[in-house]
Amino acid sequence: MSSKLAIITKGILKENPLLILNIGLCSSLGITTSIFNGLGMGAGMTFVLVMSELVISLFRKCIPSSIRLPVFIIVIAAFTTIVQLVLQAFVTSLYDALGVFLPLIVVNCIIMGRVEAFASKNSIGESVLDGIGMGIGYTIVLVAISLIRELFGAGTLLAGTALKVELIPESFRIGILNSAPGGFIVFGIVAAINQSFQNAKNAKAQKEVQ
């Protein structure tokens, strides 16, 4: 049980794809202007990641190494298309908001990296757990960035939904957070906070050893 839990928590903490591995950053900077967008992209990515790892792990012994990358891309593209069609049919506002970043899931470094480094070498159960952990870790960071950018940049929470609330008057908002540079700024702040926690944790561990 502890090994299974370790696989899941690895993607959330120790090997978070955005904060630790620094991959898949395009979506974290491009669509995180609202919590609704962050949750939507996180859910879509998690679905594609889990299903792709499951299929690749299932057929890993049947895929010739010479064509493994094209096969990986086809599998990922199939599940990405499913996400696109579902959102286009049932959540049009989210489909429009995510725009080009939705089809770009096909070439997202997180998914390609995990199917190559993990799913192609491990069992189905472990691959599914790895996808869940990486997806949760990715979504948590997306939502955190979205929360900061939406609240302080637009002055609202849950924009794009029926639960939208306006909390900060327009004159007190930080408009730059809604722009591309704002995405870099907020990501840098979140990454710095995470690094400070990691440094404090490492320093405490070293002190206990001494």
Side-chain angles (χ1 to χ4, degrees):
M1 180 63 71
S2 59
S3 63
K4 305 296 184 184
L5 183 61
I7 293 175
I8 295 179
T9 57
K10 177 179 64 177
I12 301 174
L13 301 170
K14 188 177 180 180
E15 295 182 16
N16 186 284
L18 292 175
L19 295 181
I20 305 300
L21 302 182
N22 294 135
I23 56 177
L25 296 178
C26 291
S27 56
S28 69
L29 302 177
I31 56 89
T32 51
T33 52
S34 75
I35 296 175
F36 182 57
N37 291 354
L39 282 172
M41 177 60 81
M45 273 283 295
T46 301
F47 172 79
V48 176
L49 183 55
V50 171
M51 296 306 297
S52 297
E53 288 208 53
L54 187 155
V55 171
I56 295 301
S57 178
L58 180 63
F59 295 102
R60 67 186 186 281
K61 296 180 180 180
C62 305
I63 302 174
S65 59
S66 59
I67 61 168
R68 70 184 189 284
L69 291 182
V71 171
F72 293 170
I73 292 174
I74 290 172
V75 171
I76 296 169
F79 289 113
T80 300
T81 301
I82 291 174
V83 171
Q84 284 184 270
L85 293 176
V86 169
L87 292 183
Q88 188 175 18
F90 300 105
V91 196
T92 307
S93 59
L94 180 59
Y95 175 82
D96 293 335
L98 297 182
V100 70
F101 292 101
L102 195 54
L104 283 178
I105 289 177
V106 174
V107 291
N108 191 288
C109 297
I110 299 173
I111 301 178
M112 287 297 296
R114 296 321 295 174
V115 297
E116 168 69 17
F118 198 92
S120 62
K121 300 177 179 65
N122 292 277
S123 68
I124 298 174
E126 291 176 335
S127 297
V128 169
L129 292 176
D130 179 75
I132 292 173
M134 287 288 169
I136 292 175
Y138 174 82
T139 303
I140 288 174
V141 176
L142 278 192
V143 172
I145 295 174
S146 300
L147 173 63
I148 296 172
R149 294 184 69 185
E150 181 179 0
L151 178 60
F152 296 104
T156 63
L157 285 179
L158 299 175
T161 72
L163 301 175
K164 175 183 176 180
V165 292
E166 188 169 326
L167 299 175
I168 299 178
E170 186 173 354
S171 57
F172 292 95
R173 299 171 187 171
I174 308 173
I176 192 174
L177 296 185
N178 283 327
S179 64
F184 283 97
I185 292 170
V186 175
F187 176 78
I189 293 172
V190 174
I193 293 173
N194 177 72
Q195 190 60 52
S196 67
F197 278 117
Q198 294 295 328
N199 292 341
K201 182 179 178 181
N202 293 336
K204 182 179 179 180
Q206 290 178 355
K207 189 176 293 185
E208 290 177 352
V209 172
Q210 295 174 353

